[in-house]
Amino acid sequence: MADSIYTAVATSTGDGRAGGHVVTDDGVLDVGLAIPREMGGPGGATNPEQMFAAGWASCFHSALKAVAASQKVQINDSAVIAEVGLNPIDGGGFGLSAALHVELSGVDQDTADKLVEGAHAMCPYSNATRGNIPVTIDATVA
């Protein structure tokens, strides 16, 4: 990581997703973890998939804004909704899947699709997952 311009550091303690705790080195993120009710757990706290979805949604949103600015396209309003699924895989274990839904206004559908394509090419989360997990992306113009 010698060429990194920023390195995030987080430490998980306790029982990981099953009632553990995660905190960043600067203390800004400091949360308890719980297995979601949908997986038979108690819920009531965050989980790794929610944190991944939050990170990807915000990163992709920033990439979308950067692409729009570089192309001198004005977006009136926008949101990125990331859905991250936890899926059993053959042979045991789990994998991820993702769907990104981009909502924006002030542009036509063709422009929206091109902006989303550019954001997907720029976003570090998109680049890290490309070819590794199933990902779908769509844009809706309001």
Side-chain angles (χ1 to χ4, degrees), residues 24-95:
T24 54
D25 61 336
D26 61 5
V28 171
L29 179 69
D30 187 345
V31 295
L33 301 168
I35 296 174
R37 286 185 184 90
E38 297 86 347
M39 293 175 59
T46 194
N47 59 67
E49 293 73 36
Q50 286 178 328
M51 290 189 289
F52 191 79
W56 200 348
S58 59
C59 187
F60 196 95
H61 201 184
S62 292
L64 178 72
K65 296 283 191 164
V67 169
S70 74
Q71 296 179 10
K72 298 186 182 0
V73 174
Q74 178 68 39
I75 298 173
N76 295 336
D77 195 19
S78 59
V80 176
I81 299 100
E83 299 176 9
V84 173
L86 183 65
N87 314 301
I89 57 175
D90 293 339
F94 296 91

Side-chain angles (χ1 to χ4, degrees), residues 1-10 24-29 124-125:
M1 295 192 347
D3 294 337
S4 296
I5 60 172
Y6 171 74
T7 301
V9 178
T24 54
D25 61 336
D26 61 5
V28 171
L29 179 69
Y125 282 75

Side-chain angles (χ1 to χ4, degrees), residues 106-117:
V107 297
D108 60 36
Q109 187 65 50
D110 185 55
T111 301
D113 292 340
K114 288 178 183 172
L115 292 174
V116 166
E117 183 180 312

